[in-house]
Short mmCIF file of all heavy atoms in Angstrom, two decimals:
data_model
loop_
_atom_site.label_atom_id
_atom_site.label_comp_id
_atom_site.label_asym_id
_atom_site.label_seq_id
_atom_site.Cartn_x
_atom_site.Cartn_y
_atom_site.Cartn_z
N GLY A 31 -6.10 -15.20 -48.91
CA GLY A 31 -5.14 -16.19 -49.29
C GLY A 31 -4.28 -15.76 -50.53
O GLY A 31 -4.29 -16.46 -51.44
N ASN A 38 -3.25 -16.76 -56.00
CA ASN A 38 -3.85 -17.15 -54.68
C ASN A 38 -3.32 -18.50 -54.11
O ASN A 38 -2.95 -19.32 -54.97
CB ASN A 38 -5.40 -17.29 -54.74
CG ASN A 38 -6.10 -15.94 -54.68
OD1 ASN A 38 -6.59 -15.46 -55.67
ND2 ASN A 38 -6.18 -15.38 -53.52
N ASN A 39 -3.18 -18.59 -52.82
CA ASN A 39 -2.90 -19.88 -52.22
C ASN A 39 -4.00 -20.00 -51.10
O ASN A 39 -3.76 -19.63 -49.95
CB ASN A 39 -1.51 -19.79 -51.50
CG ASN A 39 -1.20 -21.06 -50.82
OD1 ASN A 39 -1.92 -22.03 -50.91
ND2 ASN A 39 -0.10 -21.15 -50.13
N ARG A 40 -5.15 -20.58 -51.51
CA ARG A 40 -6.32 -20.80 -50.63
C ARG A 40 -6.71 -22.23 -50.72
O ARG A 40 -7.71 -22.62 -51.11
CB ARG A 40 -7.45 -19.89 -50.98
CG ARG A 40 -8.51 -19.71 -50.01
CD ARG A 40 -9.49 -18.60 -50.38
NE ARG A 40 -10.13 -18.78 -51.73
CZ ARG A 40 -9.86 -17.92 -52.74
NH1 ARG A 40 -9.15 -16.88 -52.54
NH2 ARG A 40 -10.29 -18.18 -53.91
N GLN A 41 -5.73 -23.02 -50.14
CA GLN A 41 -5.89 -24.57 -50.20
C GLN A 41 -7.06 -25.03 -49.27
O GLN A 41 -7.39 -24.30 -48.33
CB GLN A 41 -4.61 -25.18 -49.90
CG GLN A 41 -3.51 -24.95 -50.87
CD GLN A 41 -2.22 -25.69 -50.47
OE1 GLN A 41 -2.12 -26.89 -50.37
NE2 GLN A 41 -1.18 -24.88 -50.14
N ALA A 42 -7.64 -26.18 -49.63
CA ALA A 42 -8.87 -26.67 -49.00
C ALA A 42 -8.57 -26.97 -47.49
O ALA A 42 -7.52 -27.37 -47.06
CB ALA A 42 -9.18 -27.97 -49.69
N LEU A 43 -9.43 -26.46 -46.66
CA LEU A 43 -9.43 -26.69 -45.24
C LEU A 43 -8.40 -25.90 -44.51
O LEU A 43 -8.08 -26.40 -43.47
CB LEU A 43 -9.55 -28.14 -44.89
CG LEU A 43 -10.53 -28.97 -45.66
CD1 LEU A 43 -10.68 -30.39 -45.06
CD2 LEU A 43 -11.93 -28.39 -45.70
N THR A 44 -7.81 -24.85 -45.04
CA THR A 44 -6.95 -23.96 -44.34
C THR A 44 -7.73 -22.86 -43.67
O THR A 44 -8.98 -22.69 -44.02
CB THR A 44 -5.97 -23.43 -45.38
OG1 THR A 44 -6.63 -22.72 -46.42
CG2 THR A 44 -5.01 -24.53 -45.93
N ASP A 45 -7.09 -22.06 -42.94
CA ASP A 45 -7.84 -20.90 -42.38
C ASP A 45 -8.30 -19.90 -43.35
O ASP A 45 -9.42 -19.25 -43.30
CB ASP A 45 -6.80 -20.18 -41.38
CG ASP A 45 -6.53 -21.08 -40.14
OD1 ASP A 45 -7.33 -22.02 -39.79
OD2 ASP A 45 -5.57 -20.77 -39.43
N VAL A 46 -7.56 -19.74 -44.45
CA VAL A 46 -7.95 -18.83 -45.46
C VAL A 46 -9.08 -19.44 -46.34
O VAL A 46 -9.93 -18.65 -46.88
CB VAL A 46 -6.78 -18.36 -46.32
CG1 VAL A 46 -5.83 -17.38 -45.68
CG2 VAL A 46 -6.07 -19.55 -46.98
N ASP A 47 -9.14 -20.65 -46.35
CA ASP A 47 -10.33 -21.38 -47.10
C ASP A 47 -11.58 -20.98 -46.23
O ASP A 47 -12.68 -20.64 -46.80
CB ASP A 47 -10.15 -22.86 -47.10
CG ASP A 47 -11.36 -23.60 -47.78
OD1 ASP A 47 -12.14 -22.88 -48.39
OD2 ASP A 47 -11.52 -24.72 -47.50
N SER A 48 -11.47 -21.15 -44.93
CA SER A 48 -12.62 -20.78 -44.04
C SER A 48 -12.94 -19.33 -44.15
O SER A 48 -14.22 -18.94 -44.22
CB SER A 48 -12.17 -21.07 -42.60
OG SER A 48 -13.30 -20.76 -41.70
N LEU A 93 -14.11 -22.74 -54.36
CA LEU A 93 -13.36 -21.60 -54.02
C LEU A 93 -11.84 -22.00 -53.59
O LEU A 93 -11.06 -21.02 -53.35
CB LEU A 93 -14.03 -20.93 -52.79
CG LEU A 93 -15.36 -20.25 -53.17
CD1 LEU A 93 -16.08 -19.77 -51.88
CD2 LEU A 93 -15.20 -19.09 -54.11
N ASP A 94 -11.49 -23.24 -53.51
CA ASP A 94 -10.16 -23.65 -53.04
C ASP A 94 -9.29 -23.47 -54.27
O ASP A 94 -9.70 -23.59 -55.45
CB ASP A 94 -10.15 -25.02 -52.41
CG ASP A 94 -10.34 -26.15 -53.52
OD1 ASP A 94 -11.46 -26.11 -54.13
OD2 ASP A 94 -9.57 -27.10 -53.62
N THR A 95 -8.01 -23.33 -54.00
CA THR A 95 -7.01 -23.12 -55.15
C THR A 95 -5.81 -24.07 -54.95
O THR A 95 -5.62 -24.66 -54.03
CB THR A 95 -6.51 -21.69 -55.11
OG1 THR A 95 -5.44 -21.47 -54.02
CG2 THR A 95 -7.60 -20.64 -54.93
N GLN A 96 -5.00 -23.94 -55.95
CA GLN A 96 -3.75 -24.66 -55.95
C GLN A 96 -2.77 -23.82 -55.04
O GLN A 96 -3.13 -22.64 -54.72
CB GLN A 96 -3.14 -24.66 -57.31
CG GLN A 96 -3.71 -25.64 -58.33
CD GLN A 96 -3.45 -27.09 -58.04
OE1 GLN A 96 -2.29 -27.41 -57.57
NE2 GLN A 96 -4.43 -28.05 -58.26
N PRO A 97 -1.62 -24.39 -54.58
CA PRO A 97 -0.65 -23.59 -53.73
C PRO A 97 -0.27 -22.33 -54.51
O PRO A 97 0.00 -21.29 -53.79
CB PRO A 97 0.41 -24.64 -53.50
CG PRO A 97 -0.13 -25.95 -53.69
CD PRO A 97 -1.17 -25.76 -54.74
N THR A 98 0.00 -22.36 -55.84
CA THR A 98 0.33 -21.27 -56.56
C THR A 98 -0.86 -21.08 -57.69
O THR A 98 -0.50 -21.25 -58.94
CB THR A 98 1.68 -21.47 -57.16
OG1 THR A 98 1.77 -22.65 -57.99
CG2 THR A 98 2.74 -21.34 -56.22
N ASN A 136 -12.72 -28.92 -51.68
CA ASN A 136 -11.49 -29.70 -52.13
C ASN A 136 -11.60 -30.13 -53.49
O ASN A 136 -11.35 -31.44 -53.75
CB ASN A 136 -11.23 -30.89 -51.13
CG ASN A 136 -9.89 -31.52 -51.37
OD1 ASN A 136 -8.81 -30.83 -51.34
ND2 ASN A 136 -9.76 -32.83 -51.59
N GLU A 138 -9.57 -29.11 -55.87
CA GLU A 138 -8.22 -29.17 -56.53
C GLU A 138 -7.59 -30.44 -56.13
O GLU A 138 -6.71 -30.89 -56.89
CB GLU A 138 -7.51 -28.00 -56.02
CG GLU A 138 -7.88 -26.60 -56.58
CD GLU A 138 -7.75 -26.49 -58.07
OE1 GLU A 138 -7.16 -27.45 -58.75
OE2 GLU A 138 -8.02 -25.40 -58.61
N THR A 140 -5.08 -30.75 -54.22
CA THR A 140 -3.71 -30.47 -54.03
C THR A 140 -3.19 -30.83 -52.62
O THR A 140 -2.02 -31.28 -52.40
CB THR A 140 -3.34 -29.11 -54.46
OG1 THR A 140 -1.89 -28.93 -54.32
CG2 THR A 140 -3.97 -28.10 -53.46
N ARG A 141 -4.17 -30.57 -51.59
CA ARG A 141 -3.82 -30.84 -50.27
C ARG A 141 -4.20 -32.30 -49.88
O ARG A 141 -3.50 -33.06 -49.18
CB ARG A 141 -4.33 -29.82 -49.34
CG ARG A 141 -3.91 -30.02 -47.92
CD ARG A 141 -4.50 -28.97 -46.96
NE ARG A 141 -3.99 -29.27 -45.50
CZ ARG A 141 -4.71 -28.76 -44.47
NH1 ARG A 141 -5.76 -28.01 -44.59
NH2 ARG A 141 -4.28 -29.19 -43.29
N PHE A 142 -5.40 -32.67 -50.27
CA PHE A 142 -5.97 -33.94 -49.93
C PHE A 142 -6.46 -34.58 -51.34
O PHE A 142 -7.35 -34.15 -51.92
CB PHE A 142 -7.14 -33.87 -49.04
CG PHE A 142 -6.95 -33.24 -47.73
CD1 PHE A 142 -7.20 -31.91 -47.45
CD2 PHE A 142 -6.47 -33.96 -46.62
CE1 PHE A 142 -6.94 -31.35 -46.18
CE2 PHE A 142 -6.14 -33.42 -45.46
CZ PHE A 142 -6.39 -32.09 -45.22
N ILE A 179 -11.63 -26.11 -38.86
CA ILE A 179 -12.01 -24.75 -39.50
C ILE A 179 -13.51 -24.43 -39.34
O ILE A 179 -13.93 -23.35 -39.70
CB ILE A 179 -11.53 -24.58 -40.96
CG1 ILE A 179 -12.35 -25.61 -41.85
CG2 ILE A 179 -10.07 -24.85 -41.09
CD1 ILE A 179 -12.21 -25.21 -43.24
#
Side-chain angles (χ1 to χ4, degrees):
N38 279 108
N39 180 7
R40 196 170 51 245
Q41 297 178 62
L43 310 192
T44 57
D45 291 342
V46 287
D47 179 22
S48 179
L93 292 174
D94 69 308
T95 76
Q96 291 284 329
T98 53
N136 192 55
E138 293 292 1
T140 184
R141 185 179 177 201
F142 298 98
I179 68 168

